[in-house]
Amino acid sequence: MLNIFKELKRQDHPRILGGLDILKYIGPGLLVTVGFIDPGNWASNFAAGSEFGYALLWVVTLSTIMLIALQHNVAHLGIVTGLCLSEAAEKYTPKWIGRPIIVSAVLASISTSMAEILGSAIALQMLFGIPIVWGSILTVAAVLIMLFTNSYRHMERAIIGFVSMIGLSFIYEIFLIDIDWPAATTGWVVPSVPEGSLLIIMSVLGAVVMPHNLFLHSEVIQSRQIHTKGKADIEKTLKYELFDTLFSMIVGWAINSAMILLAAATFYNRGIHVEELSQAQSLLTPLLGNNAGNIFAIALLLAGISSTITSGMAAGSIFAGMFGESYNAQDTHSIVGICISLGLSLLIIFFISDPFQGLIYSQMLLSVQLPLTVFLQVSLTSSKRVMGCYANKPWNSAFLYTLAALVTILNIWLLIESI
């Protein structure tokens, strides 16, 4: 893997995205892995494990398979065309189809940002007793400053490194407590839908396969302008990208699974349902002792800030794409997209009475929008007009459309169950 990153670093990349440059060196797949341990994931996984034990581990397996296929596919779009998903939709899709989907993706980014901001605010409340609303305002102000000044570039690696270590600590902890491995193995591979679990299933799915990450992944990839360097460079990059995606998604699967395993072993067996993120700090006690609460809160804060930054970038990329532009934090359209996402998220938080349930429902809403993004993405990557000889093979298109149909069916099921 190190050789792959070294070779990618040796390529002559045009400086287009400013603040996104840092992502060229850590790998786009690793950006998605950071999304695996954002506050929305924490809430969904802890709720799944504490309420249903090992029964919903299969959702993490299914979501990871979906994510590998979709992230690899959208990366192809950026590598081959030099366009992000939003730009490609604007260029190749009729406006009466493309524009509503892009607008719904902006709404999904608002839902994402709301979860990330809430997570940071909860962490500030745990650390300093700051009320949720004021913590949310402080988070948004800090993120806007970092986005518009690009100062976050100097701390992004440190944030990702620290949050990743917390994620890996969850993996390590599963060897310190009593896990029912036969039940866990069954849970990973045998789908089951316990009564009342569909909302949590959709939340876990939406927390893993996030629409804004599909847009952002294509944005980061296209910034390298590989499509201008000839067929050999395109094919080499496609190969490296697959490795990056596989490695990153497997790490993400392990972290998500570990959270559910820990919640199942710690809470479910005692009949305790996690209703606040602060309850979950006890998961780190065996590893970190009495400092577990503060370290948990710091990790949550950094996870929230880091993922709020990327969700803001995604919103800027999606909005700018409607005008045929790439993301640029100094450009008007990107700025408007960032402000819409973060501003409306903050406004919604003012009316949320239960922050933990707000996290759960925000992730569920992402899964509702997901089929629209996937159908759009697959239609573009299956088109020879868009992708030329790199268009999806018929079997690949059928598989990707099946994934979108599966999420659609789950959404309809959730709607019927709710009614």
Side-chain angles (χ1 to χ4, degrees), residues 150-351:
N150 284 331
S151 61
Y152 73 90
R153 285 184 299 169
H154 306 297
M155 57 190 300
E156 185 75 4
R157 281 185 174 179
I159 291 175
I160 291 173
F162 187 87
V163 175
S164 297
M165 288 187 65
I166 293 298
L168 292 174
S169 73
F170 284 118
I171 297 176
Y172 175 72
E173 268 203 71
I174 65 177
F175 299 103
L176 303 180
I177 60 177
D178 187 18
I179 301 291
D180 185 349
W181 289 110
T185 301
T186 301
W188 269 313
V189 297
V190 179
S192 65
V193 184
E195 184 178 354
S197 66
L198 197 56
L199 173 62
I200 301 299
I201 289 173
M202 299 304 292
S203 297
V204 173
L205 178 63
V208 175
V209 191
M210 306 174 82
H212 82 285
N213 265 340
L214 295 173
F215 285 91
L216 188 59
H217 198 164
S218 62
E219 178 71 71
V220 176
I221 285 285
Q222 69 86 20
S223 71
R224 298 173 175 178
Q225 296 293 290
I226 301 298
H227 70 292
T228 65
K229 300 180 180 181
K231 186 173 182 179
D233 279 339
I234 288 176
E235 294 182 349
K236 181 168 60 176
T237 305
L238 290 174
K239 178 180 67 175
Y240 290 161
E241 185 281 325
L242 176 60
F243 180 89
D244 179 42
T245 296
L246 283 172
F247 173 80
S248 302
M249 300 308 104
I250 291 172
V251 170
W253 171 83
I255 293 173
N256 273 285
S257 295
M259 289 184 183
I260 294 178
L261 289 171
L262 289 169
T266 304
F267 298 118
Y268 178 74
N269 291 340
R270 302 176 185 174
I272 301 172
H273 291 177
V274 173
E275 297 178 346
E276 296 180 1
L277 272 180
S278 57
Q279 287 177 264
Q281 69 185 39
S282 62
L283 293 175
L284 291 177
T285 301
L287 182 63
L288 301 173
N290 294 331
N291 292 321
N294 287 336
I295 294 176
F296 179 93
I298 292 170
L300 180 61
L301 176 62
L302 293 179
I305 290 175
S306 179
S307 51
T308 304
I309 288 170
T310 56
S311 69
M313 290 183 196
S317 171
I318 295 168
F319 193 82
M322 289 194 292
F323 301 90
E325 300 171 358
S326 298
Y327 173 85
N328 184 339
Q330 309 304 316
D331 178 77
T332 300
H333 293 132
S334 295
I335 292 172
V336 170
I338 292 170
C339 291
I340 287 175
S341 180
L342 299 186
L344 290 181
S345 300
L346 183 59
L347 182 63
I348 293 170
I349 289 173
F350 289 164
F351 299 96

Side-chain angles (χ1 to χ4, degrees), residues 34-43 112 115-116 207 210 212 259 300 303-304 307 363:
V34 171
F36 275 135
I37 44 180
D38 74 341
N41 280 81
W42 293 31
T112 302
E116 324 303 17
M210 306 174 82
H212 82 285
M259 289 184 183
L300 180 61
S307 51
Q363 303 308 290

Side-chain angles (χ1 to χ4, degrees), residues 43 126 133 137 153 237:
M126 292 171 64
V133 169
I137 293 172
R153 285 184 299 169
T237 305

Side-chain angles (χ1 to χ4, degrees), residues 16-33:
I16 293 178
L17 297 182
L20 284 173
D21 286 351
I22 185 67
L23 301 179
K24 297 176 182 178
Y25 300 100
I26 64 172
L30 296 181
L31 169 66
V32 180
T33 304

Side-chain angles (χ1 to χ4, degrees), residues 72-85 88 217-227 238 381 387:
H72 183 55
N73 182 248
V74 82
H76 277 209
L77 176 69
I79 292 168
V80 172
T81 68
L83 301 171
C84 73
L85 181 54
H217 198 164
S218 62
E219 178 71 71
V220 176
I221 285 285
Q222 69 86 20
S223 71
R224 298 173 175 178
Q225 296 293 290
I226 301 298
H227 70 292
L238 290 174
T381 56
M387 301 289 290

